[in-house]
Amino acid sequence: KTACAQEHASADQILPRSRLRPGGGAGIPPAMLTWGVSRDALLLQKGFHGSPAFVVDAKAVAAEFLAMLLFICFGCGVACGNGASTASDRLSIAFSFGMCILVLAYAIGPHSGGQINCAVTFSLVLGGEVHWCQGLANLAGQLLGSLSGAGILCLVFPCDMDRTGSLGTTAVAPGFTAGHALAGEVVATFLLCYVVWETAVSPLSGAGANACLAIGFAVFLCPL
């Protein structure tokens, strides 16, 4: 088969003929919302004859929503319950964030890739691993999940029982400026994205399913 014929055959396996544009013309609809799409389909972002194909996997969006909700509930929940005034408190908070990412990445990895971070999603879009329309949808799911998780924490912790006074929101420590905090966030975010790319994305990586371990420990290091 020619390369063009192979592309047509692959697309037929992913999308039945009934889902093609009406009129018998060859091509994938310019926008389509589905539930559960194989990675091959998500990477097939060029329709027949090079027309753009925007395939948004709602299952991946739902997975990112749920993961972010649980991440906020348990990560920030540990901060609310213990405070962050001592080194041991901060260690337990950092460990809880790392463990949350580790277990959730394993749990939702088969559904969305386990991004659970807006910066990670953005880097995958820039690198061509995630289409921009899927990236925007995942971002929306992540933001809504964060807000929902914060809402659950409001129900769990009365104001006088929240030992952070801010639902676990990070703040600039005394003696540091916003510029110092921004520089730290940039370096920490780079570490996380770099580990994701080198362990979970790169074809040279031998981590396999154990990539979640490296990513979880990267998240554990960042708050420290």
Side-chain angles (χ1 to χ4, degrees), residues 106 195 198-214:
Y106 273 121
V195 171
E198 291 298 329
T199 61
V201 179
S202 173
L204 301 178
S205 172
N210 291 327
C212 295
L213 289 171

Side-chain angles (χ1 to χ4, degrees), residues 100-157:
C100 281
I101 288 293
L102 191 156
V103 299
L104 290 173
Y106 273 121
I108 74 163
H111 307 299
S112 69
Q115 298 160 26
I116 328 176
N117 185 284
C118 300
V120 170
T121 299
F122 183 59
S123 74
L124 293 173
V125 170
L126 289 181
E129 290 293 320
V130 175
H131 194 267
W132 66 265
C133 60
Q134 184 68 53
L136 285 178
N138 288 354
L139 173 64
Q142 291 163 357
L143 295 177
L144 289 175
S146 299
L147 293 174
S148 300
I152 292 175
L153 286 181
C154 288
L155 297 176
V156 173
F157 289 97

